[in-house]
């Protein structure tokens, strides 16, 4: 039996993971589930999946859960806060950790899992954007296998040859083609974008996801974060990654070789496929996702990204080019701006403006230690909040 801890089990990826795992009760055992504040969701998961541990990052919610678990007579140990998260990813009976917390908040607990040498199923792309080099170095040092869950990166991983960690040139890979759906506003008249509401931004044409990543998809910041994620996971540079808008979301990404071969991974847009792939790797197992009906898909379209319409993607490229801590600044400003947008305090097009101004206010620095990056993250949030606050 493979012991599994899920960071962010009440979220979209967390729930899809539990769906896949519950199809294989002979193979996986849920050791720990974790969430931030969704006590009701966690109580229900404790009933259904009987984990040994449940962690609420929010201490007040942990107290609530503890009382409810006791009242329900469930044999679940409730832990609280960041310490609780770090504890349950490091337990000896845990072999795999699903990292599915949203945002930079996932960095420290995921790093704890890396340092404990676990197999990391990495959905939390922000961790790699903030501290990707450190993260990958620590993974190597501690023998932690990092398998991507993000559908594009999982597709790229499936199309990569053995030994890609030694450098893409050495294994005959010319470039990576990173596909993007273009989100809900691909065809919205540009002059209407400023009036788009959180509900409109969160109604993605192909995927059902958490609210933060849904807004990121609408601004295409998601693709910017993914370019950075791909650079770190596949040890390459942004010049070798081409973003291709592919509205059907059937091809999840492609790898081009020097002989002209292009390998792609296709499937229905359902995160249970990459989740099952990473859980079972190097084997394959049932995920609950049906096969692709090509006759139903009928047509696949491709277009270049429109950087005028999607300034966030251009800002992400700028941050990668600046290097150092610039991606961490970009990420922090984006998290703040998206939160302001989702709570109705900022217009849709102002998201990019807050990020741009934050990047302009803070010079990137080149100490990439964890403490330095966490300090950058804190400072960038403060600056972004001031900038966003002036617009309220
Ligand atoms: P979500 O908002 O649905 O879920 C987030 C989870 O993290 C919840 O369980 C929540 O309780 C927990 N959480 C939030 N803040 C926390 C904190 N401060 N401390 C501890 N736990 C906290 O998000 P999601 O859509 O499942 O996305 C999770 C991650 O996976 C993100 O990084 C996202 O970019 C990535 N991802 C998601 C999808 C998708 O289809 N949803 C696809 C690719 C990548
Ligand atoms: Mg993705």
């Amino acid at each position: 039996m493979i012991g599994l801890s899920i960071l962010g089990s009440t979220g979209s990826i967390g729930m899809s993971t539990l769906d896949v795992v519950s199809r294989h009760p002979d193979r996986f055992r849920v050791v720990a589930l974790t969430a931030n504040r969704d006590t009701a969701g966690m109580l229900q998961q404790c009933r259904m999946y009987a984990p040994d541990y449940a962690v609420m990052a929010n201490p007040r919610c942990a107290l609530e859960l503890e009382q409810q678990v006791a009242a329900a007579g469930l044999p679940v140990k409730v832990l609280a806060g960041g310490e609780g998260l770090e504890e349950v990813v490091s337990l000896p009976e845990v072999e795999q950790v699903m990292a599915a917390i949203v945002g930079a908040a996932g960095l420290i607990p995921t790093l704890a899992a890396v340092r404990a040498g676990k197999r990391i199923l990495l959905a939390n792309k922000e961790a790699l954007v903030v501290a990707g080099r450190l993260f990958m170095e620590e993974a190597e040092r501690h023998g932690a296998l990092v398998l991507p869950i993000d559908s594009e990166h999982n597709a790229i991983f499936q199309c990569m040859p053995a030994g890609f960690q030694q450098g893409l040139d050495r294994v005959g890979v010319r470039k990576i083609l990173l596909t993007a759906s273009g989100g809900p506003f691909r065809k919205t008249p540009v002059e209407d974008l400023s009036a788009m509401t959180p509900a409109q931004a969160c109604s993605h044409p192909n995927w059902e996801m958490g609210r933060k990543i849904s807004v990121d998809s609408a601004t295409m910041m998601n693709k910017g974060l993914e370019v950075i994620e791909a650079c770190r996971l596949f040890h390459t540079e942004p010049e070798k990654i081409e973003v291709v808008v592919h509205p059907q979301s059937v091809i999840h990404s492609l790898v081009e070789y020097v002989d002209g071969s292009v390998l792609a991974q296709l499937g229905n847009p359902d995160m249970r496929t990459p989740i099952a792939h990473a859980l079972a790797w190097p084997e394959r197992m049932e995920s609950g996702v049906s096969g692709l009906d090509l006759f139903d898909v009928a047509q696949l379209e491709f277009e270049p990204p429109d950087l005028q319409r999607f300034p966030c993607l251009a800002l992400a490229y700028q941050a990668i080019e600046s290097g150092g801590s610039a991606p961490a600044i970009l990420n922090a400003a984006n998290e703040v701006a998206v939160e302001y947008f989702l709570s109705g305090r900022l217009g849709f097009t102002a998201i990019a403006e807050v990020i741009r101004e934050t990047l302009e206010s803070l010079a990137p620095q080149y100490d990439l230690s964890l403490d330095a990056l966490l300090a950058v993250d804190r400072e960038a949030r403060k600056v972004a909040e001031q900038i966003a606050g002036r617009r309220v």
Side-chain angles (χ1 to χ4, degrees), residues 125 150-153 213 222-223 226 229 271:
K125 65 190 85 184
D150 214 344
S151 57
E152 297 79 0
H153 304 73
I213 185 177
N222 184 48
K223 215 43 57 177
E226 289 186 1
E229 181 186 15
M271 290 306 293

Side-chain angles (χ1 to χ4, degrees), residues 34-106:
T34 84
N36 189 20
R37 281 196 278 250
D38 182 4
T39 316
M42 181 56 86
L43 183 66
Q44 200 190 350
Q45 290 191 340
C46 287
R47 284 203 163 93
M48 276 187 78
Y49 302 104
D52 299 340
Y53 298 85
V55 187
M56 299 304 289
N58 179 293
R60 198 177 37 76
C61 296
L63 275 178
E64 259 175 49
L65 183 73
E66 197 165 26
Q67 289 162 359
Q68 293 171 4
V69 155
L74 298 170
V76 179
K77 194 169 171 200
V78 177
L79 304 178
E83 277 172 28
L85 297 176
E86 292 187 47
E87 182 176 338
V88 299
V89 297
S90 314
L91 296 165
E93 64 268 37
V94 170
E95 233 174 282
Q96 302 192 4
V97 174
M98 166 55 78
I101 290 175
V102 59

